[in-house]
């Protein structure tokens, strides 16, 4: 698996030349650019249709490279890096001298992550430097969890898409601001607040309103093109029938397979990890079903489901934009 891989060498060469490469991580696919190359980062923003001055995560091969990108590495940061890297955790740290404003969105902090996906690790070691990579979707849209999704988002405008299969976690990394003495959870993810507390001895705080800008924390995000409505579990059949009576085609995502209502439906996995793994792919499938609305069964309000509820809530808001 670690022997020479011509696709990886080609991808590293594209990055060195200032081009864009999509690659798998354990969370979602990323659209990568050389994090030291301003023009390459500008290309990333254009490809994604992302508003300027939003910060982007720098992916590195190993914690050893951290000092090239960040300074004032706090004890809490060290504990989290030791506990969860490589893995689905992004740390927001004070930026080191020379880290471009295009990466940090002009802030004095930088988001860093060591991914665990074998193909991401091979790419990072072949390239040698940091890879700036937002999720490989058009701004505000559903994140991609397969190479096919990335191709659907960008067509031929991305030179190379490395195919590493379906992403294991399926939702974006947990983001923790570790610039202060105690951690602040900027984006929930597979690594829960509880695990962060266990690793650091401190429960992470929730961000104050208006604190570090994060597009993934905008109310509208991760959205399919079809309007999405969250429906309380027991009311699904009734709501679907109502809409159907009005002549609307209805797509349903629910954790039960006994529903008869709706034009298209998916029975989602019943436990949180499986649900997250399939979540974005399921939204894409239902989005493509040509329905007037996607009804998604409301999920339990428990810590296990927190990261998924976060994405689902934003998808519902985002899908109602004109
Ligand atoms: O799992 C992930 O994190 C994926 C994979 C590809 O690594 N990446 C990802 O990137 O989700 P993106 O750009 O879609 O979301 C990154 C989030 C954004 O909300 C961004 O604002 C936030 O990270 N972020 C990056 N640097 C930051 C900083 N210095 N301060 C606060 N938030 C930051
Ligand atoms: Mg994203």
């Amino acid at each position: 698996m670690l022997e020479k891989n011509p696709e990886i060498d080609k991808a590293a060469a594209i990055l060195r030349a200032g081009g864009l490469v999509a690659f798998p991580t354990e969370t979602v696919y990323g659209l990568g650019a050389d994090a030291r190359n301003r023009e390459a980062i500008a290309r990333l923003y254009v490809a994604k249709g992302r508003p300027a001055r939003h910060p982007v995560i720098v992916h590195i091969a190993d914690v050893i490279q951290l000092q090239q990108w960040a300074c004032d590495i706090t004890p809490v940061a060290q504990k989290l890096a030791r506990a969860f890297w490589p893995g689905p955790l992004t740390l927001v740290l004070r930026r080191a001298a020379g880290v471009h404003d295009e990466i940090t969105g002009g802030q004095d902090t930088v988001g860093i992550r060591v991914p665990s996906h074998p193909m991401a690790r091979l790419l990072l070691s072949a390239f040698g430097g940091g890879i700036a990579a937002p999720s490989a979707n058009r701004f505000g849209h559903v994140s991609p969890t397969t190479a096919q999704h990335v191709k659907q988002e960008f067509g031929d405008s991305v030179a190379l898409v490395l195919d590493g299969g379906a992403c294991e976690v399926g939702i974006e990394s947990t983001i923790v601001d570790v610039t202060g003495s105690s951690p602040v959870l900027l984006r929930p993810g597979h690594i829960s607040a509880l695990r962060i507390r266990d690793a650091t001895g401190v429960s992470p705080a929730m961000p104050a309103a208006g604190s570090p800008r994060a597009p993934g924390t905008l109310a509208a995000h991760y959205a399919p093109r079809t309007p999405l409505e969250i429906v309380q579990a027991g009311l699904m059949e009734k709501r679907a029938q109502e809409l159907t009576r009005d002549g609307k085609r209805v797509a349903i995502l629910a954790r039960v397979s006994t529903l008869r209502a709706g034009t298209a439906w998916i029975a989602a996995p019943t436990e949180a990890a499986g649900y997250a793994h399939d979540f974005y792919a399921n939204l894409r499938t239902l989005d493509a079903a040509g329905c007037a609305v996607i009804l998604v069964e409301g999920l339990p309000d428990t810590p296990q489901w927190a990261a998924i509820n976060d994405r689902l809530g934003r998808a519902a808001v985002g899908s109602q934009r004109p």
Side-chain angles (χ1 to χ4, degrees):
M1 152 97 238
L2 290 170
E3 70 265 19
K4 267 202 138 346
N5 179 330
E7 281 278 285
I8 300 277
D9 289 342
K10 192 173 153 199
I14 292 170
L15 290 175
R16 265 178 229 117
L20 305 182
V21 171
F23 63 98
T25 81
E26 67 280 20
T27 58
V28 300
Y29 275 70
L31 184 60
D34 177 354
R36 295 283 187 204
N37 181 336
R38 293 194 135 113
E39 282 153 29
I41 303 160
R43 259 174 228 127
L44 254 188
Y45 277 75
V46 172
K48 262 192 80 96
R50 193 181 211 195
R53 297 185 75 78
H54 273 304
V56 54
I57 296 170
V58 177
H59 298 68
I60 56 175
D62 196 281
V63 68
I64 292 163
Q65 293 175 2
L66 193 54
Q67 283 101 318
Q68 298 168 26
W69 301 94
C71 58
D72 297 342
I73 297 159
T74 55
V76 165
Q78 285 169 16
K79 284 180 189 160
L80 288 174
R82 209 173 301 129
F84 299 116
W85 280 354
L89 175 76
T90 296
L91 295 178
V92 170
L93 295 144
R94 293 262 162 250
R95 75 162 148 183
V99 177
H100 295 316
D101 280 345
E102 288 85 345
I103 292 287
T104 67
Q107 305 177 97
D108 63 353
T109 58
V110 61
I112 308 282
R113 174 160 119 77
V114 179
S116 63
H117 193 293
M119 208 173 249
R121 304 199 71 190
L122 285 174
L123 178 63
L124 282 162
S125 60
F127 177 60
I131 302 179
S135 51
N137 53 277
R138 308 268 312 155
F139 183 71
H141 195 225
V142 179
S143 300
T145 55
T146 67
Q148 196 52 40
H149 295 163
V150 179
K151 288 174 191 153
Q152 284 164 11
E153 292 285 322
F154 296 107
D156 294 332
S157 66
V158 171
L160 181 63
V161 181
L162 292 174
D163 189 347
C167 301
E168 190 185 334
V169 174
I171 56 173
E172 303 78 0
S173 60
T174 305
I175 305 182
V176 184
D177 181 336
V178 285
T179 55
S181 54
S182 54
V184 179
L185 185 67
L186 297 184
R187 180 172 71 184
H190 180 70
I191 294 174
S192 65
L194 198 64
R195 289 176 71 198
I196 292 163
R197 191 201 66 188
D198 288 348
T200 62
V202 202
S203 285
M206 300 299 150
S211 54
R213 281 169 297 155
T217 63
L218 289 179
H221 222 76
Y222 314 119
R225 308 224 146 81
T226 312
L228 184 153
E229 189 181 314
I230 303 168
V231 179
Q232 220 179 297
L235 301 178
M236 182 61 93
E237 193 105 38
K238 182 165 166 274
R239 181 69 183 128
Q241 277 160 4
E242 241 166 54
L243 290 161
T244 310
R245 249 196 322 272
D246 290 348
K248 297 203 165 86
R249 287 161 57 86
V250 177
I252 298 177
L253 180 63
R255 293 171 301 155
V256 288
S257 52
T258 51
L259 285 172
R260 275 173 298 280
T263 311
W265 55 263
I266 294 176
T270 52
E271 34 64 65
Y275 192 101
H277 177 273
D278 293 359
F279 179 60
Y280 287 133
N282 286 341
L283 286 188
R284 281 173 186 272
T285 303
L286 294 178
D287 204 13
C291 292
V293 60
I294 300 172
L295 301 181
V296 181
E297 172 205 25
L299 298 165
D301 188 17
T302 58
Q304 262 183 309
W305 292 89
I308 302 165
N309 277 324
D310 169 77
R311 306 311 190 277
L312 179 56
R314 293 173 208 283
V317 174
S319 72
Q320 281 155 24
R321 285 171 305 173

